[in-house]
Amino acid sequence: MSLLKTALLTAALFMSAAVSTSADSFPVKIEVDAAKTTGPVEPIWRFFGADEPNYATMKDGRQLIGELGALSPGHVYFRAHNLLTSGDGTPALKWGSTNAYTEDAQGHPVYNWTIIDRIFDTYLARGVKPYVEIGFMPEALSTQPEPYQHNWRPGSGNLRTGWAYPPKDYGKWEELVYQWVKHCVERYGHEEVASWYWETWNEANLPQYYWGGTREEFFKLHEVSVKAVRRALPEARVGGPDMAGANDDFMAAFMDHMEKTGTPTDFLSFHAKGGPEFVDGHVRMGLATQLKAADHEFRAIAASPAFKDKPIIIGEFDPEGCAACQGPANAYRNGTMYSSYTAATFPRVAELARRRGVRLEGALSWAFEFEDQRYFAGFRQLASNGIDLPVLNVFRLFAQMKGQHLAATSDHETPLDTVLSDGVRGDADAKTDVGVTAARDGDTVTVLVWHYHDDDVAGPDAAVSLALNHLPASFKKGAIVTRYRVDKDHANSFAAYQTMGAPLAPDNAQYAALQAAAELKPDAPIAIKDGRLTFDLPRQGVTLLVLKPAS
């Protein structure tokens, strides 16, 4: 089979199915009360991450880091695995390295911050701050150093090798962490480094993947790591354990141990993932699975008097668990299934946190880019070969929502309890989730509306009737409304790629066309006088309305 035919077949596999061919639509009523605020807008979306730290310094990685930083300069954070892993900095899937620690012939430590500095410099120059994961184990410190680099690849291989084991000398590990933080303070300054997050390791409750030691050994590793960070920078923000949300007792045990040992804990972190399936020829998302995983940890934290008021970072918050994996169940990623899922998920996890009475500070999307891979290869990413995917544009919509949340209702928004128990399933229009969140910042009102269903199949548009009640006095002459859209026809590079025949290597003109198709462009502003407007929202569509007073 030719390379072109292979590319076309693979592109078809990852094609989003939700391109409605029906002229029918169903009515949806949405109301926003601009006089009733419900709390501050918390930008929980502003956290991102990746397995492969070295991608950030490469051509497309640098570009994407800059785009993330532009969302909210100085307030976006990036978390990466492998910051202490041994190697020459050559990336691979689920792999990276910095060679920060080696030993001389006498066993004395040798520190080299060159590659780590390049990574952090790249972040900071583009408005992004590190969410520092302290890991993984340098080869010279590993209790089981051989084999060291894993041979994992999509579908095969062994992930847990020498990098995943406890240190043979906790004293040397502590000194490594101390020297690293000390170096960062010297290079970037106390105030800057104190604004970062520092946490130990990744998913130590998954021994088959990320941790080759016992639970107690991880707790010890965390204790000495925190001690080292605070020794170098007493005001540093430290926390953890960035565990996998596996419905186990790991978080409760962690909190109990940290309380007993008096280990400083400024924030708590865990992961929550969904569970998509390939059913009857299409992807069925697992929104309920992801929210249940978050809620399990929220409950555990809320039950702890010592920790219930701590800020929470969901250190990985994604539709499933492997960004570098491919396959039919992951065929949602390139198109609007991923973007509409994201729009529907973030408001709900914030609602879950409010219900449990805990402080959700962030939910980190473990999605970045994969350098020099095939176009739209089906990885979980925000851009492909420098071309933004629809999901990245949803974060651009989130970034425009500021100030105070407003009371907002939709008669087709699936209740949270129903989503937790059943997801968003069923054939009837009433089973489709058309939800809303709204905010007001001074004289600007923003309204985000999504049209989501767990099943990646075609369906009718939502005919939305929106009523904006009790607009401020500044709107007495009416409102100017600007609409942004992410759907099958707007801000969608993948749809454009399909239309041009899924070329294996787009030429310059095609590449420019893909970049243009990816761009989030506002519709021409329209004027309204009574605070009411109507619009169609396609299935898997997301729209943001920005209202400003008419002059």
Side-chain angles (χ1 to χ4, degrees):
M1 184 180 291
S2 70
L3 287 175
L4 178 58
K5 287 183 178 180
T6 300
L8 290 171
L9 286 173
T10 307
L13 173 64
F14 291 103
M15 178 178 177
S16 173
V19 179
S20 177
T21 58
S22 171
D24 297 331
S25 61
F26 59 94
V28 176
K29 292 183 179 180
I30 293 177
E31 294 192 5
V32 175
D33 188 341
K36 185 177 181 181
T37 59
T38 60
V41 174
E42 299 289 351
I44 63 172
W45 52 267
R46 60 194 170 94
F47 296 79
F48 302 91
D51 292 71
E52 303 86 3
N54 308 100
Y55 285 160
T57 63
M58 300 176 75
K59 62 182 189 307
D60 294 333
R62 294 192 303 270
Q63 175 183 312
L64 184 52
I65 286 289
E67 293 182 63
L68 297 181
L71 296 172
S72 184
H75 300 284
V76 174
Y77 286 84
F78 199 89
R79 175 175 180 254
H81 295 341
N82 294 298
L83 290 175
L84 294 177
T85 304
S86 298
D88 62 4
T90 301
L93 296 181
K94 296 184 76 67
W95 179 259
S97 59
T98 66
N99 225 41
Y101 180 93
T102 55
E103 293 181 355
D104 64 18
Q106 290 72 43
H108 300 136
V110 177
Y111 305 110
N112 186 338
W113 312 117
T114 303
I115 296 177
I116 289 182
D117 286 349
R118 190 179 305 137
I119 293 167
F120 285 1
D121 289 353
T122 300
Y123 297 169
L124 293 165
R126 292 161 177 79
V128 174
K129 292 178 180 287
Y131 178 121
V132 186
E133 177 187 307
I134 304 172
F136 293 125
M137 194 57 58
E139 185 173 12
L141 282 180
S142 176
T143 52
Q144 295 193 37
E146 295 181 0
Y148 185 72
Q149 182 171 351
H150 66 67
N151 63 354
W152 184 93
R153 55 186 56 82
S156 66
N158 178 35
L159 182 64
R160 196 190 77 184
T161 49
W163 60 268
Y165 284 86
K168 61 185 181 183
D169 187 323
Y170 281 88
K172 286 185 175 181
W173 170 265
E174 180 181 335
E175 188 64 17
L176 163 61
V177 177
Y178 167 76
Q179 292 293 339
W180 183 18
V181 180
K182 178 174 175 287
H183 169 78
C184 288
V185 171
E186 292 168 351
R187 186 175 181 86
Y188 304 112
H190 282 77
E191 183 177 356
E192 173 60 41
V193 180
S195 72
W196 303 356
Y197 295 84
W198 295 83
E199 59 87 13
T200 310
W201 219 258
N202 177 71
E203 297 184 347
N205 61 326
L206 295 184
Q208 68 272 40
Y209 297 120
Y210 285 100
W211 183 239
T214 65
R215 178 182 291 190
E216 291 69 27
E217 286 173 318
F218 168 72
F219 290 166
K220 181 176 181 180
L221 186 82
H222 179 74
E223 285 178 55
V224 300
S225 299
V226 170
K227 180 181 177 182
V229 173
R230 284 290 183 87
R231 180 157 60 96
L233 182 63
E235 60 268 43
R237 181 163 46 183
V238 295
D242 263 282
M243 51 164 282
N247 293 321
D248 58 18
D249 67 345
F250 196 91
M251 179 62 77
F254 175 83
M255 292 186 294
D256 182 63
H257 187 85
M258 295 307 110
E259 183 178 8
K260 288 178 178 177
T261 58
T263 303
T265 306
D266 297 313
F267 65 95
L268 295 168
S269 55
F270 62 84
H271 302 168
K273 307 282 188 172
E277 303 172 290
F278 195 71
V279 179
D280 298 329
H282 69 272
V283 177
R284 173 173 291 166
M285 303 299 286
L287 178 56
T289 301
Q290 185 171 349
L291 293 176
K292 285 177 182 176
D295 197 39
H296 181 273
E297 308 309 329
F298 287 160
R299 288 198 309 269
I301 294 167
S304 170
F307 289 91
K308 63 182 179 63
D309 295 324
K310 296 288 185 182
I312 297 169
I313 306 292
I314 305 179
E316 294 181 25
F317 187 64
D318 306 292
E320 33 66 37
C322 180
C325 296
Q326 299 165 296
N330 295 327
Y332 70 89
R333 293 166 164 177
N334 285 323
T336 53
M337 186 82 251
Y338 192 6
S339 51
S340 60
Y341 180 99
T342 299
T345 306
F346 276 74
R348 288 196 165 95
V349 76
E351 184 180 353
L352 271 178
R354 290 192 295 271
R355 175 183 286 188
R356 296 295 179 190
V358 295
R359 295 175 55 194
L360 180 59
E361 191 165 290
L364 188 151
S365 296
W366 198 253
F368 185 51
E369 64 98 22
F370 291 82
E371 199 82 15
D372 294 328
Q373 297 287 337
R374 181 176 48 78
Y375 283 79
F376 303 97
F379 298 115
R380 190 175 69 238
Q381 55 190 349
L382 304 175
S384 174
N385 284 279
I387 298 168
D388 296 343
L389 296 178
V391 65
L392 180 55
N393 284 319
V394 169
F395 291 107
R396 293 189 170 108
L397 301 184
F398 285 158
Q400 295 190 57
M401 302 194 73
K402 300 175 182 178
Q404 294 284 319
H405 277 298
L406 299 176
T409 59
S410 166
D411 66 359
H412 269 69
E413 183 167 331
T414 307
L416 179 58
D417 287 331
T418 301
V419 175
L420 282 171
S421 61
D422 303 322
V424 181
R425 308 284 172 87
D427 296 330
D429 297 340
K431 300 296 186 181
T432 301
D433 178 44
V434 183
V436 61
T437 184
R440 176 183 167 189
D441 185 29
D443 286 337
T444 300
V445 174
T446 49
V447 181
L448 182 76
V449 185
W450 64 84
H451 184 177
Y452 172 75
H453 196 284
D454 276 346
D455 287 297
D456 189 12
V457 297
D461 293 356
V464 178
S465 176
L466 172 63
L468 294 136
N469 302 318
H470 308 122
L471 286 169
S474 57
F475 285 81
K476 63 182 179 181
K477 293 183 179 180
I480 302 299
V481 182
T482 303
R483 183 183 181 189
Y484 297 85
R485 293 190 264 180
V486 182
D487 56 37
K488 58 187 177 66
D489 298 319
H490 300 86
N492 190 338
S493 59
F494 184 57
Y497 179 71
Q498 293 171 297
T499 299
M500 66 175 57
L504 181 64
D507 60 27
N508 286 340
Q510 290 172 321
Y511 191 89
L514 291 172
Q515 287 187 311
E519 187 177 348
L520 182 67
K521 302 173 183 176
D523 291 354
I526 62 170
I528 61 172
K529 291 186 178 180
D530 60 356
R532 283 163 171 74
L533 69 158
T534 60
F535 58 90
D536 288 337
L537 185 60
R539 188 147 170 170
Q540 296 186 7
V542 184
T543 196
L544 179 74
L545 304 170
V546 180
L547 289 83
K548 295 180 180 293
S551 57

